[in-house]
């Protein structure tokens, strides 16, 4: 069932990514990791739906998203970045295949990290630690890393940040592939959650299988 959300506040997370906080209408229920199809509530945009993941927790009073703007795409995310408190958006029912099935490796590229935010926050709140979990997060440059301080501040979570176009960065400089994954992933010791663009999913899932990760331990979701 469609719902209308009213924006309470918007604040920058990186140079092109914003944290948006909306009111929470009655009847909106979701699980950590789930997404909704969201559209701007204005003429000419209501049929332009795009998927975004909740970054708040199911018990919160607000609905929150972390959304990256792509000015060179179709204009929807660019418009979202220009929203002001009081503006409204429309969402459909939640959906999504990514859900918490235990500790393991959370592998993401760019905005693909968003499904992991709520999952890790909930696991941390329930267990007091994220011991046994590792985030492997790839971005073009250091300035593109979404919520770096938040992830680094999560007790027990080991973070491995990767950059692909930042030659001056001290971070790991390479694509996430078989060689890197073999250094960080222990097959059979946990789940591998992978979220990002479709091509990335195929490559990483293939690399995980090559290093011996059982197919049942690989959980994927496309998220442009």
């Amino acid at each position: 069932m469609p719902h209308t959300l009213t924006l309470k506040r918007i604040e920058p997370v990186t140079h092109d990514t914003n944290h948006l906080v909306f009111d929470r209408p009655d009847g909106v229920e979701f699980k950590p990791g789930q997404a909704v199809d969201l559209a701007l509530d204005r003429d000419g945009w209501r049929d332009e739906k795009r998927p975004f993941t909740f970054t708040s927790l199911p018990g919160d009073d607000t609905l929150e998203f972390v959304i990256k703007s792509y000015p060179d795409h179709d204009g929807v995310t660019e418009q979202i970045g220009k929203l002001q408190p009081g503006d409204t958006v429309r969402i459909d029912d939640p959906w999504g295949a990514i859900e918490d099935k235990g500790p393991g490796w959370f592998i993401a590229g760019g905005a693909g990290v968003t499904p992991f935010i709520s999952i890790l926050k909930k696991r941390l709140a329930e267990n007091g630690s994220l011991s046994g979990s590792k985030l492997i997060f790839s971005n073009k440059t250091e300035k593109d890393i979404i919520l770096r301080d938040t992830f680094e501040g999560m007790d027990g979570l080991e973070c491995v940040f990767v950059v692909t176009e930042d030659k001056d960065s001290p971070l790991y400089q390479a694509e996430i592939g078989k060689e890197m994954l073999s250094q960080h992933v222990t097959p059979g010791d946990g789940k591998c959650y992978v979220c990002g663009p479709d091509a990335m999913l195929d490559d990483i899932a293939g690399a995980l299988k090559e290093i011996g990760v059982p197919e049942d331990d690989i959980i994927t979701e496309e998220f442009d």
Side-chain angles (χ1 to χ4, degrees), residues 76-155:
V76 174
T77 58
E78 182 181 18
Q79 293 298 315
I80 288 174
K82 298 176 181 178
L83 291 175
Q84 299 294 320
D87 288 343
T88 56
V89 299
R90 294 181 176 184
I91 63 170
D92 292 331
D93 291 332
W95 54 270
I98 291 279
E99 62 179 287
D100 188 357
K101 295 186 177 181
W105 295 268
F106 294 81
I107 306 166
V113 79
T114 54
F116 301 153
I117 297 171
S118 185
I119 288 174
L120 293 172
K121 284 167 63 175
K122 185 173 186 292
R123 172 167 281 277
L124 181 60
E126 291 179 346
N127 299 291
S129 173
L130 291 172
S131 179
S133 292
K134 180 182 290 189
L135 174 67
I136 302 174
F137 187 15
S138 176
N139 288 273
K140 290 181 179 179
T141 69
E142 280 197 64
K143 71 176 184 178
D144 295 311
I145 300 174
I146 296 170
L147 297 178
R148 179 175 181 174
D149 290 345
T150 298
F151 290 125
E152 290 182 329
M154 289 182 167
D155 185 71

Side-chain angles (χ1 to χ4, degrees), residues 15-138:
H15 64 101
D16 61 0
T17 304
N18 291 290
H19 175 214
L20 298 97
V21 181
F22 294 90
D23 66 338
R24 182 171 182 169
D26 292 339
V28 179
E29 303 293 338
F30 67 95
K31 297 178 181 179
Q34 285 194 312
V36 289
D37 291 323
L38 180 150
L40 300 165
D41 187 20
R42 59 180 67 162
D43 292 344
W45 294 93
R46 293 187 180 93
D47 293 330
E48 298 294 327
K49 300 178 181 181
R50 299 293 183 272
F52 300 109
T53 308
F54 294 110
T55 57
S56 47
L57 293 176
D60 291 347
D61 294 332
T62 55
L63 297 176
E64 303 181 21
F65 301 87
V66 173
I67 297 177
K68 185 171 183 176
S69 293
Y70 299 91
D72 58 343
H73 281 199
D74 51 23
V76 174
T77 58
E78 182 181 18
Q79 293 298 315
I80 288 174
K82 298 176 181 178
L83 291 175
Q84 299 294 320
D87 288 343
T88 56
V89 299
R90 294 181 176 184
I91 63 170
D92 292 331
D93 291 332
W95 54 270
I98 291 279
E99 62 179 287
D100 188 357
K101 295 186 177 181
W105 295 268
F106 294 81
I107 306 166
V113 79
T114 54
F116 301 153
I117 297 171
S118 185
I119 288 174
L120 293 172
K121 284 167 63 175
K122 185 173 186 292
R123 172 167 281 277
L124 181 60
E126 291 179 346
N127 299 291
S129 173
L130 291 172
S131 179
S133 292
K134 180 182 290 189
L135 174 67
I136 302 174
F137 187 15
S138 176

Side-chain angles (χ1 to χ4, degrees), residues 180-194:
M180 182 204 179
L181 292 171
S182 66
Q183 298 173 15
H184 293 281
V185 176
T186 305
D189 276 6
K191 299 295 184 181
C192 291
Y193 306 85
V194 188

